[in-house]
Amino acid sequence: MKINLNKIPIVFQLLLLLVFVYGNILLLEAVFSLEEKWKSAYYTFYQTFSFFAISSSVILLLNLIIQKKAKDQIGYVFLGIMTVKVIAAYIFIAPALELKTASSQFEKNNFFIYFLTFLAIDVYLTAQILNKKN
């Protein structure tokens, strides 16, 4: 059975992707026993995931608003929004970067993986908005 994601509303696509990513992260955490490393990290798994989930939701909301007002500007607005997201992500992770503990490298690596994962989600959803015919 083939699922056509283009027929699913964009907001539900985001929710499906968030559930998929969340489930995979929990599965990897259980398989590799990462609970102890998260306990010693500056931010918890839930704080980090929430930061990226909320920022991706805001980006989608802003893209949908821009789509209604000036669809031809979505690409430029997306680049500006992503610049703000990168700055916000740096501000978010800065306290953890200053720590020189054993868990800081773990947290840096996870943060980078989350950043790339949610960047891919943001790009995918923006491309879906740009490819809509209406």
Side-chain angles (χ1 to χ4, degrees), residues 25-70:
I25 291 171
L26 287 181
L27 179 66
L28 289 172
E29 185 177 302
V31 168
F32 293 109
S33 302
L34 300 177
E35 297 89 14
E36 289 302 315
K37 289 188 177 188
W38 277 113
K39 287 180 184 175
S40 61
Y42 187 82
Y43 290 113
T44 65
F45 157 73
Y46 299 105
Q47 289 171 321
T48 306
F49 184 82
S50 296
F51 171 78
F52 283 110
I54 290 169
S55 65
S56 288
S57 299
V58 169
I59 288 172
L60 177 62
L61 177 68
L62 291 174
N63 279 340
L64 290 173
I65 291 169
I66 297 301
Q67 178 191 22
K68 293 193 186 317
K69 295 187 178 192

Side-chain angles (χ1 to χ4, degrees), residues 1-18 20 120-121 124-125 127-129 131-132:
M1 179 175 164
K2 185 177 179 183
I3 298 173
N4 188 356
L5 288 178
N6 292 332
K7 303 225 184 238
I8 300 173
I10 196 88
V11 174
F12 292 120
Q13 287 183 36
L14 174 64
L15 291 174
L16 287 173
L17 288 168
L18 290 177
F20 178 75
I121 290 172
Y124 169 76
L125 293 174
Q128 289 293 318
I129 292 171
N131 290 332
K132 276 194 171 178

Side-chain angles (χ1 to χ4, degrees), residues 66-81:
I66 297 301
Q67 178 191 22
K68 293 193 186 317
K69 295 187 178 192
K71 185 175 181 176
D72 55 332
Q73 300 298 316
I74 289 178
Y76 299 115
V77 172
F78 178 74
L79 289 174
I81 293 170

